Amino acid sequence: TDTTGHASAPADYGFDPLGLGGGSKETLDYFVGGEIINGRWAMLAVVGILAQELLGKGPWWTAGARVGDRGLG
């Protein structure tokens, strides 16, 4: 059941113990949009990691060190 009196999102049961939702729909929509963007950036990062591994460019965690060695970073 919904404890907030309204269902603004799927599986929204009003759980916000720290009050980060701000109490307004606009603030909550802003945070939801931010989480969607963060998820998309994370998915894009995974694609980049997998591409580097599949192309044989070495482990992804050493990419910054190799760029610095060439004087580019």
Side-chain angles (χ1 to χ4, degrees):
T1 62
D2 186 9
T3 60
T4 62
H6 61 84
S8 61
D12 178 17
Y13 297 111
F15 181 74
D16 190 12
L18 299 177
L20 299 175
S24 71
K25 179 153 175 48
E26 292 80 20
T27 303
L28 186 59
D29 288 342
Y30 175 77
F31 288 139
V32 168
E35 286 298 318
I36 290 171
I37 293 297
N38 287 338
R40 290 177 180 167
W41 278 114
M43 288 185 280
L44 186 62
V46 169
V47 169
I49 288 169
L50 293 175
Q52 181 172 342
E53 292 282 340
L54 291 174
L55 292 174
K57 300 293 184 180
W60 62 270
W61 60 86
T62 62
R66 287 193 312 270
V67 168
D69 290 343
R70 293 192 308 243
L72 299 174

